[in-house]
Amino acid sequence: MVNYKLTYFNLRGKAEVARLLFAYAKVNYEDVRIEREQWPEIKPKMPYGQVPVLEVDGKPLAQSLAIARFLGREFGLLPESSFDQAIADELADLTQDMFFPSRAVVPMREPDEAKRNALKPKILEESIYPILNKLEDRLSKSASGWLVGDKVTWVDFVFFNFAEIMRDIYGKDYFTKYDNLKSHYRKIKEIPQIAEYLQGRPPAPL
Ligand SMILES: N[C@@H](CCC(=O)N[C@@H](CS)C(=O)NCC(=O)O)C(=O)O
C-alpha cells in the first residue's frame, strides 16, 4: 500500500483538490495542517519552500496541479487519449489565469474591504468572465456534463475547487448566469464520496 502524506496550512486553498481526489478514490492519507508559527521551521525542508507538498512513500512532490494530475493518474481519473489529457492540462492552467488577478482581492493581500469591493467588478469583467464564457460554452456541448470526455476526470475536481474559492472571494452570485457550470459544480458535489467528505470536512478558510 502506498503511503501518502499531504502537507499544507489549515486552509482549503491549493491542497483541497488533492483532498477531494483522495476522498473520491477512498484512499487514506495523512492530512498534515501546519500552523503559521510552525512554518519558518518547515519552509526550508520543502522542495521549493512552499506547500502543498505530497509525500509518496517519503518522496516529496510539489506544485498543486502536478499533485492533482499525479493523483488523477494514480486513481484512474485521466482522460482517455493523450490529446484529451493535454486538454485537461489546458483547463487546469486556465484556472491559474483566473486565480492570478484574484489575488489582488483576497483579504490577506488587501485588508481594506472597500478597496477589494471596488476592484472586483473589473477583475470579473476583464479576467474571469471571458474565460468562464468559453467554459460555459464547452460544457453546453458536453453530452456527459464533464469537462473532458465522457467520464469524470481530475480536472473536474480542479474546477469544483476553483468555483468554491471564487464563491468565497466574489460572493455566491458571481456565476449565477452560468447554468452549465452550476450543473457541473452540483454534479461533483453530489458524488456520494464527495457529499460525505464535504459534510465531514473540517472547517477551514479559503
Ligand atoms: N505554484 C505553487 C504555489 C504554492 C504556494 O503559493 N504556496 C503558498 C501557500 S498557498 C505558500 O507556501 N506560502 C508560504 C511561503 O511562500 O512562504 C502551487 O500551485 O503549489
Side-chain angles (χ1 to χ4, degrees):
M1 211 174 67
V2 183
N3 187 280
Y4 293 108
K5 176 175 160 183
L6 181 67
T7 301
Y8 196 56
F9 298 110
N10 186 26
L11 304 169
R12 301 196 318 274
K14 290 181 183 294
E16 196 62 13
V17 177
R19 296 187 188 120
L20 288 162
L21 290 166
F22 279 119
Y24 177 83
K26 295 187 172 204
V27 169
N28 287 329
Y29 68 106
E30 197 183 338
D31 186 19
V32 179
R33 293 170 185 245
I34 53 181
E35 300 297 334
R36 288 276 163 192
E37 320 66 273
Q38 297 173 280
W39 182 234
E41 198 230 314
I42 294 174
K43 184 175 170 76
K45 298 180 187 148
M46 296 293 115
Y48 306 104
Q50 290 197 313
V51 280
V53 168
L54 177 70
E55 284 167 61
V56 183
D57 285 334
K59 288 183 289 185
L61 175 66
Q63 291 293 336
S64 52
L65 287 182
I67 293 170
R69 194 178 298 112
F70 168 75
L71 292 177
R73 195 178 308 120
E74 293 302 288
F75 302 157
L77 289 168
L78 286 193
E80 293 285 324
S81 71
S82 68
F83 186 77
D84 279 352
Q85 289 167 17
I87 293 291
D89 293 341
E90 171 190 292
L91 299 177
D93 288 345
L94 271 179
T95 60
Q96 303 306 295
D97 289 357
M98 291 186 276
F99 276 139
F100 195 76
S102 301
R103 283 154 44 126
V105 287
V106 297
M108 232 156 33
R109 299 252 169 168
E110 177 49 81
D112 186 328
E113 193 183 355
K115 282 192 191 158
R116 289 202 304 273
N117 288 341
L119 269 177
K120 284 177 190 176
K122 184 173 152 67
I123 299 175
L124 283 170
E125 289 305 328
E126 288 181 3
S127 308
I128 305 217
Y129 289 151
I131 298 177
L132 289 186
N133 291 343
K134 301 275 183 194
L135 292 171
E136 177 72 4
D137 189 46
R138 175 177 189 88
L139 278 174
S140 75
K141 293 176 188 140
S142 160
S144 66
W146 299 120
L147 281 164
V148 190
D150 56 7
K151 64 179 181 79
V152 67
T153 67
W154 67 279
V155 80
D156 292 299
F157 294 91
V158 171
F159 263 83
F160 178 82
N161 186 51
F162 164 80
E164 283 205 310
I165 292 178
M166 290 290 123
R167 183 200 56 202
D168 288 354
I169 297 177
Y170 295 102
K172 69 177 169 42
D173 294 333
Y174 84 96
F175 82 175
T176 312
K177 58 182 171 176
Y178 296 114
D179 287 337
N180 291 292
L181 281 162
K182 282 190 297 188
S183 307
H184 176 267
Y185 177 82
R186 279 196 298 272
K187 229 164 129 65
I188 291 277
K189 205 172 173 178
E190 286 164 6
I191 295 171
Q193 305 92 294
I194 297 298
E196 194 186 333
Y197 168 72
L198 294 177
Q199 233 175 19
R201 174 164 76 172
L206 179 153

